[in-house]
């Protein structure tokens, strides 16, 4: 008797506890909780759940309430009641008219919302109007038909899940595998066709990149297929929640991979283009752009991943902006150098390999990096100049010269006869004309007797070398100098050096110390001819 009484008391307690939860529509949280609570297996009262549907908005409010829950369960959308507002006068700040409205899942299901009508909150008219379309989109007829075609044993449960759902899952996975295999080949074929149509080039490396790109694209299509079909298998809210969370994460990862491969393909084609140009600076731009674009893709991908794990998108963007501002303020020099890098690539004041003078530094440009540029001096030492300074200072780019000018003065002895001076000047001119690396057009060189120095007669030599490289210029000078020295020796013209001459006159038996110059014209012409022929043979 006591046991029966105890059971009766427990039964009445449970019943009274269930009855104590009444239909409550006073705020968004109360309405949504009422709807979901009365459709749970242990408190299943669909008539009460239907009270959350605005009266006269549909002929079958009970069916509408059930469909609405199936939609949420099918997409794995779990309502976090801690986030649902409890104010009866809640205003949706994102709506155009600032209405009393609350959207449950703005990103996933923007058409499902509750709104205040009178003093109560109901599922909005927009939700009821789009309910059948959303339901048919999530639960396609061909998958639901599988449930009806299953014999009775298909509705038996294994691990609390009906057998037909396992069968449907297996069929879905087989179709997904076949779809991936076929789409991967089709996508690769299309990408190759597009590339050949626009670029009209081919390469083993590019084919490898395109094949890598085709793989995640086909997987994205497969994920979209699974996302479309899986809700119809009706595995329940808990399973669906984790499945769709995993699908969203996988989709984000694949999109990141796709964009990274797009960067690889783009940079490969750009590097092929830059390799055909004479400008070496754009070759240096390839790795910088590659790292920069990859950084952007990864940064945006991380932000997207944070939103997938439940972080608010606005908060994430605001945090990234504030964090970026803080980093920028803390590393102003780095930001300035980065801007200087872009200015160098835009203005192109020099190319890789150019010989420049900048801020007291002279040397060949070896590399332009994100932060600084490397200049190698003539003694092979390295100068590392911040790009912010390099973009502001005056740069003398000797690498852009059309020719390398060489100007020098040669001093010969004061006692050199005029005939040999003329012969020496003419011989030097002939050497310059015959030199393979100097300009020989009229008015492109000068060899003239220009003045009287303290200890010598000055011969000006002004030439232009066609080789722009520093090393090539030195080699050209060497050939020119050697030829001039040989010419002076053959003519008997001596180079002067600082000296003093003491004149002793009318001393008996004293002979003059003047050099004996051979000014015979035939001899001079023969020397000039011989020296010129020898120079031409050697060069």
């Amino acid at each position: 008797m006591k046991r029966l009484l105890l059971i009766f008391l427990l039964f009445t307690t449970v019943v009274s506890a269930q009855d104590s939860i009444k239909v409550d529509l006073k705020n968004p949280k109360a309405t949504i909780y009422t709807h979901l609570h009365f459709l749970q297996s242990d408190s299943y009262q669909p008539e009460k759940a239907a009270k959350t549907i605005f009266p006269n908005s549909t002929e079958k409010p009970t069916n509408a309430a059930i469909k609405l829950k199936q939609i949420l369960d099918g997409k794995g959308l779990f309502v976090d009641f801690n986030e649902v507002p409890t104010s009866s006068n809640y205003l949706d700040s994102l709506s155009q008219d600032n209405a009393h409205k609350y959207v449950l899942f703005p990103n996933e299901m923007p058409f499902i919302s509750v709104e205040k009508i009178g003093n109560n909150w109901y599922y909005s008219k927009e939700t009821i109007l789009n309910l059948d379309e959303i339901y048919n989109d999530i639960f396609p007829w061909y998958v639901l038909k599988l449930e009806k075609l299953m014999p009775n044993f298909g509705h038996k449960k294994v691990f609390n899940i009906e057998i037909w759902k396992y069968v449907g899952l297996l069929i879905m996975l087989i179709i997904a595998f076949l779809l991936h295999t076929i789409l991967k080949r089709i996508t690769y074929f299309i990408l190759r066709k597009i590339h050949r149509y626009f670029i009209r080039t081919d390469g083993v490396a590019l084919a490898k990149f395109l094949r890598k790109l085709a793989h995640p694209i086909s997987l994205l299509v497969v994920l979209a297929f699974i996302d479309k079909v899986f809700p119809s298998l009706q595995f329940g809210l808990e399973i669906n929640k984790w499945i769709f969370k995993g699908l969203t994460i996988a989709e984000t990862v694949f999109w990141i991979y796709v964009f990274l491969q797009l960067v690889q393909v783009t940079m490969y084609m750009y590097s092929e283009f830059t390799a055909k140009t004479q400008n070496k600076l754009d070759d240096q731009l390839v790795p910088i752009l590659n790292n920069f674009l990859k950084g952007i893709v990864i940064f945006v991908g991380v932000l997207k991943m944070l939103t997938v794990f439940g972080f608010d998108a606005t908060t994430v963007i605001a945090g990234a902006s504030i964090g970026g501002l803080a980093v920028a303020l803390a590393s102003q020099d780095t930001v300035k150098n980065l801007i200087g890098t872009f200015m160098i690539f835009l203005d192109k004041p020099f190319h890789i390999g150019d010989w420049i003078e900048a801020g007291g530094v002279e040397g060949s440009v070896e590399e332009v990096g994100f932060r600084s540029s490397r200049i190698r001096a003539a003694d092979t030492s390295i100068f590392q100049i911040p790009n912010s300074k390099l973009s502001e200072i005056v740069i003398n780019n000797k690498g852009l010269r059309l020719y390398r000018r060489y100007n020098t003065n040669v001093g010969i002895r004061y006692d050199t006869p005029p005939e040999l001076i003329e012969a020496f000047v003419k011989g030097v001119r002939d050497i310059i004309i015959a030199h393979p690396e100097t300009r020989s057009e009229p008015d492109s060189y000068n060899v003239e007797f220009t003045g009287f120095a303290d200890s010598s007669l000055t011969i000006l030599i002004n030439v232009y070398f066609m080789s722009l490289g520093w090393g090539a210029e030195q080699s050209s000078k060497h050939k020119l100098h050697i030829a001039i020295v040989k010419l002076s020796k053959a003519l008997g013209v001596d180079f002067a050096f600082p000296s003093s001459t003491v004149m002793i006159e009318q001393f008996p038996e004293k002979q003059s110390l003047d050099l004996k110059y051979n000014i015979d014209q035939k001899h001079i012409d023969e020397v000039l001819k011989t020296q010129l022929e020898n120079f031409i043979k050697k060069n």
Side-chain angles (χ1 to χ4, degrees):
M1 187 64 181
K2 290 181 179 181
R3 290 182 178 179
L4 291 174
L5 182 61
L6 181 60
I7 292 172
F8 177 75
L9 290 173
L10 290 174
F11 176 76
T12 55
T13 301
V14 172
V15 172
S16 61
Q18 290 180 351
D19 291 339
S20 64
I21 301 177
K22 299 178 181 180
V23 174
D24 188 358
L25 309 175
K26 63 184 179 182
N27 57 56
K29 181 176 181 179
T31 299
I32 298 171
Y33 183 80
T34 298
H35 169 237
L36 298 178
H37 172 75
F38 288 114
L39 291 178
Q40 301 299 318
S41 58
D42 55 350
S43 57
Y44 191 75
Q45 299 180 56
E47 296 79 9
K48 291 185 177 182
K51 298 293 183 181
T52 59
I53 308 298
F54 183 71
N56 302 323
S57 61
T58 178
E59 295 179 357
K60 300 178 179 179
T62 302
N63 288 344
I66 294 173
K67 280 186 176 181
L68 195 53
K69 184 178 184 302
Q70 288 177 339
I71 289 172
L72 298 177
D73 290 350
K75 296 300 291 184
L77 299 175
F78 181 80
V79 179
D80 185 359
F81 286 100
N82 294 323
E83 301 293 332
V84 181
T86 57
S87 173
S88 60
N89 293 315
Y90 175 79
L91 295 174
D92 184 9
S93 59
L94 298 179
S95 64
Q96 295 181 354
D97 53 357
N98 203 25
H100 294 284
K101 181 182 178 181
Y102 174 72
V103 182
L104 280 71
F105 300 98
N107 298 322
E108 297 86 354
M109 289 286 174
F111 294 114
I112 297 180
S113 61
V114 293
E115 62 181 356
K116 186 177 182 181
I117 303 176
N119 295 324
N120 294 328
W121 284 75
Y122 301 95
Y123 280 100
S124 65
K125 296 177 183 179
E126 181 187 23
T127 300
I128 304 305
L129 183 64
N130 294 284
L131 187 61
D132 289 337
E133 182 180 351
I134 297 173
Y135 183 83
N136 293 331
D137 184 61
I138 295 176
F139 302 102
W141 62 269
Y142 48 83
V143 181
L144 294 176
K145 194 172 183 179
L146 177 65
E147 179 183 4
K148 296 179 180 179
L149 292 176
M150 271 288 170
N152 292 331
F153 80 88
H155 295 281
K156 293 181 179 180
K157 293 185 177 181
V158 178
F159 301 111
N160 205 29
I161 297 175
E162 294 182 7
I163 294 176
W164 76 269
K165 297 182 180 180
Y166 290 110
V167 175
L169 180 63
L170 180 61
I171 294 174
M172 182 191 72
L173 293 177
I174 292 174
I175 294 175
F177 176 76
L178 295 175
L179 190 64
H180 169 62
T181 304
I182 296 172
L183 282 176
K184 184 170 62 174
R185 299 177 184 275
I186 294 175
T187 305
Y188 176 68
F189 176 78
I190 294 174
L191 290 174
R192 289 294 295 270
K193 285 291 184 182
I194 293 173
H195 170 257
R196 288 173 180 172
Y197 179 79
F198 288 102
I199 309 299
R200 302 185 185 278
T201 59
D202 205 351
V204 177
L206 182 61
K208 182 180 179 181
F209 288 138
L210 293 179
R211 190 172 288 107
K212 288 183 178 180
L213 182 60
H215 187 74
I217 290 177
S218 62
L219 285 175
L220 285 170
V221 177
V222 170
L223 289 179
F225 167 74
I226 296 174
D227 183 81
K228 181 76 174 178
V229 174
F230 190 79
S232 301
L233 300 179
Q234 303 175 25
F235 273 96
L237 176 60
E238 287 298 326
I239 294 178
N240 288 352
K241 180 178 73 173
W242 292 109
I243 291 295
F244 282 103
K245 178 72 75 174
L247 289 175
T248 306
I249 294 172
E251 183 181 3
T252 304
V253 172
F254 288 149
W255 273 118
I256 293 173
Y257 186 80
V258 165
F259 280 107
L260 288 176
Q261 289 302 315
L262 281 175
V263 170
Q264 290 276 63
V265 171
T266 305
M267 287 298 99
Y268 175 81
M269 291 189 292
Y270 182 66
S271 65
E272 290 288 308
F273 170 77
T274 57
K276 298 176 183 178
T277 62
Q278 295 181 352
N279 185 4
K280 296 181 180 179
L281 189 61
D282 52 9
D283 297 338
Q284 189 66 36
L285 183 60
V286 173
I288 294 177
L289 270 180
N290 186 41
N291 294 332
F292 180 72
L293 293 176
K294 282 184 177 180
I296 291 178
V297 171
I298 293 174
F299 177 73
V300 175
V302 170
L303 293 184
K304 174 62 178 177
M305 193 66 75
L306 290 175
T307 60
V308 170
F309 283 102
F311 292 92
D312 182 67
T314 306
T315 305
V316 170
I317 295 174
S321 302
I322 295 172
L325 180 61
V327 171
L329 291 175
S331 55
Q332 295 184 40
D333 290 340
T334 302
V335 175
K336 286 171 60 179
N337 289 326
L338 182 60
I339 295 174
T341 301
F342 286 113
M343 294 306 298
I344 289 173
F345 282 108
L346 288 174
D347 294 341
K348 297 181 180 179
F350 50 77
H351 299 158
I352 302 298
D354 284 352
W355 190 272
I356 66 171
E357 290 181 3
V361 175
E362 183 175 358
S364 175
V365 180
E366 281 200 344
E367 181 183 349
V368 179
F370 254 129
R371 182 183 175 277
S372 61
S373 297
R374 296 201 319 170
I375 312 296
R376 186 175 292 278
D379 61 355
T380 71
S381 61
I382 291 291
F383 289 95
Q384 206 80 18
I385 304 178
N387 288 336
S388 60
K389 294 183 178 179
L390 198 58
S391 63
E392 295 175 355
I393 59 179
V394 176
I395 297 175
N396 179 9
N397 189 347
K398 296 184 177 180
L400 295 181
R401 294 177 298 185
L402 298 177
Y403 308 100
R404 278 183 174 267
R405 179 174 179 263
Y406 175 56
N407 182 281
T408 188
N409 289 308
V410 175
I412 60 176
R413 290 172 59 99
Y414 258 101
D415 55 0
T416 306
E419 294 84 357
L420 290 184
I421 296 176
E422 289 286 357
F424 180 74
V425 169
K426 182 180 184 302
V428 174
R429 288 173 182 168
D430 291 340
I431 290 171
I432 292 174
I433 293 173
H435 199 299
E437 295 164 7
T438 59
R439 295 186 65 194
S440 57
E441 301 88 352
D443 300 328
S444 62
Y445 63 90
N446 303 96
V447 182
E448 310 292 345
F449 174 27
T450 58
F452 302 89
D454 292 340
S455 302
S456 64
L457 302 176
T458 303
I459 308 297
L460 168 69
I461 300 176
N462 181 69
V463 296
Y464 291 89
F465 293 115
M466 292 182 290
S467 299
L468 296 179
W470 185 86
E473 179 187 6
Q474 308 314 309
S475 176
S476 300
K477 288 180 183 178
H478 173 81
K479 294 176 183 177
L480 179 63
H481 292 164
I482 288 294
I484 292 174
V485 170
K486 289 181 178 179
L487 174 66
S488 66
K489 184 177 181 180
L491 286 173
V493 175
D494 288 341
F495 295 110
F497 52 87
S499 60
S500 298
T501 302
V502 179
M503 304 299 296
I504 303 176
E505 298 179 355
Q506 298 178 353
F507 274 70
E509 299 180 0
K510 297 295 181 181
Q511 296 181 352
S512 173
L513 296 177
D514 290 343
L515 297 178
K516 300 298 181 182
Y517 292 100
N518 188 349
I519 58 174
D520 180 63
Q521 190 61 43
K522 184 177 180 181
H523 169 74
I524 292 173
D525 292 341
E526 184 65 27
V527 169
L528 292 177
K529 180 180 178 182
T530 302
Q531 292 302 310
L532 184 60
E533 289 177 351
N534 292 337
F535 178 77
I536 293 174
K537 287 179 181 179
K538 290 184 178 180
N539 297 282

